Amino acid sequence: MAKNNFRGMPGGMNQAAMMKQAQKMQQELLRMQQEQETKTYTASAGGGMVSATVNGKHELVDMKINPEAVDPDDVEMLQDMVIAAVNEAMRTADNDAAQNMSRLTGGLNLGGMF
């Protein structure tokens, strides 16, 4: 019976080097996640009448509403502006996180693995 002469991965990367690379990537991912959580993202709606700030944990941390945006006869407009500002701030945070992840993985799509 033939002996298995498998000594490593294609390109010369052996299992120990691959594990070391995976650990390094995991440490970098953790660092990036911690950094992401401390960032804040602000977006506005209604021509700046409403602005929302979220952090990297998707928590709303600040909301500013221009008094001119408050119309008792059109509360729905204010509600729409608040929703739009918060959603845009969240999208900005998500896009930043995705860009950071892409840099870490070299553009490799890991399909939600991390």
Side-chain angles (χ1 to χ4, degrees):
M1 187 170 215
K3 241 182 171 182
N4 185 354
N5 288 333
F6 181 73
R7 295 181 190 224
M9 300 296 288
M13 182 180 271
N14 64 30
Q15 191 172 11
M18 190 170 79
M19 290 299 292
K20 186 175 181 178
Q21 183 67 23
Q23 287 174 337
K24 182 179 176 186
M25 187 179 205
Q26 186 177 25
Q27 289 171 347
E28 182 65 13
L29 175 64
L30 184 60
R31 184 196 64 77
M32 284 174 49
Q33 287 174 331
Q34 291 169 340
E35 183 180 299
Q36 185 75 24
E37 289 177 358
T38 65
K39 290 181 179 181
T40 58
Y41 305 88
T42 302
S44 63
M49 295 298 252
V50 173
S51 70
T53 301
V54 300
N55 64 20
K57 295 186 227 179
H58 289 102
E59 298 169 332
L60 181 65
V61 295
D62 191 36
M63 169 73 56
K64 291 189 176 27
I65 301 173
N66 184 319
E68 294 175 26
V70 181
D71 181 354
D73 295 326
D74 194 4
V75 174
E76 285 184 18
M77 176 67 83
L78 178 57
Q79 292 169 337
D80 289 345
M81 287 189 286
V82 168
I83 290 168
V86 171
N87 285 339
E88 183 57 30
M90 295 284 192
R91 273 191 293 277
T92 302
D94 288 342
N95 288 340
D96 186 48
Q99 286 177 347
N100 287 335
M101 181 57 69
S102 179
R103 275 188 291 237
L104 176 65
T105 63
L108 179 64
N109 182 358
L110 298 176
M113 185 173 163
F114 289 100

